[in-house]
Amino acid sequence: MNERHILYRHLTTSQANASELAKELYDGQELEDILYFVKKDGTSGLQILAEHLMNNYQVHVYQAAQESKFYLVDNPVLVHQFDDIDYLFPISPKVCLGLVKIATYEDILLVSNSIYILGDNDVERINKKLVQNTDKLIIVSYSFDLDFVKKVVE
């Protein structure tokens, strides 16, 4: 579990900050192994992550249909929670972005430029996962959404 915190610090700040955290959490050979990984090269963790996402994923835009709205939460990225969508991230009450593996046929990239409309049931499934993923903050559009949130939390 601590390795994830170190990796996150490496991805979002710097090697020095990640090394500092590693020194607080580990010692001996474990510390040496983690420091080797953190200091392996001069490439920032964020650059590695960005290159991975750009080389392997395409962005799908999802729109909530009708009156449905996505919740906005303090931990909004859903990772591997739905088939075929590796990362899902609501950016507004009506729009959600998803990262989907790039599909190929022989040497041809198959790219979609559609906006996908999600029905009420799909939006509800996403909102349920968002509520389960949140730490402290949930922003909803309607007062009746609070009943849904309470039901999911219990």
Side-chain angles (χ1 to χ4, degrees):
M1 181 64 117
N2 288 331
E3 295 89 354
R4 288 183 13 196
H5 295 296
I6 294 166
L7 179 60
Y8 179 77
R9 175 101 38 113
H10 185 249
L11 290 173
T12 57
T13 62
S14 68
Q15 290 177 347
N17 285 337
S19 297
E20 182 180 308
L21 179 60
K23 290 174 185 174
E24 292 173 16
L25 299 173
Y26 292 97
D27 59 12
Q29 187 59 45
E30 283 183 315
L31 175 61
E32 293 304 316
D33 292 344
I34 290 171
L35 290 178
Y36 173 78
F37 171 75
V38 169
K39 296 180 178 181
K40 186 166 74 171
D41 61 28
T43 307
S44 79
L46 193 54
Q47 181 180 349
I48 293 168
L49 178 61
E51 287 175 5
H52 169 72
L53 294 176
M54 297 292 289
N55 290 329
N56 295 292
Y57 291 93
Q58 66 176 315
V59 176
H60 282 185
V61 178
Y62 301 97
Q63 182 177 349
Q66 302 160 3
E67 297 299 314
S68 292
K69 305 254 190 216
F70 297 111
Y71 299 164
L72 303 177
V73 301
D74 57 1
N75 195 12
V77 180
L78 299 175
V79 180
H80 298 288
Q81 298 289 318
F82 302 98
D83 293 340
D84 299 329
I85 304 170
D86 285 0
Y87 303 93
L88 195 68
F89 178 60
I91 59 171
S92 79
K94 292 300 279 182
V95 178
C96 189
L97 300 179
L99 294 181
V100 179
K101 292 258 188 200
I102 293 175
T104 59
Y105 176 75
E106 295 177 357
D107 287 337
I108 299 170
L109 293 177
L110 304 175
V111 180
S112 171
N113 63 353
S114 300
I115 295 176
Y116 300 91
I117 307 299
L118 298 179
D120 294 339
N121 289 337
D122 292 325
V123 173
E124 186 174 297
R125 281 184 31 224
I126 291 168
N127 284 338
K128 180 178 180 183
K129 296 287 186 182
L130 288 167
V131 169
Q132 293 168 339
N133 203 46
T134 193
D135 290 323
K136 294 182 182 179
L137 178 68
I138 302 171
I139 300 171
V140 298
S141 297
Y142 307 110
S143 60
F144 62 79
D145 287 328
L146 296 175
D147 293 332
F148 177 83
V149 170
K150 288 177 188 175
K151 200 165 45 172
V152 170
V153 171
E154 295 171 347

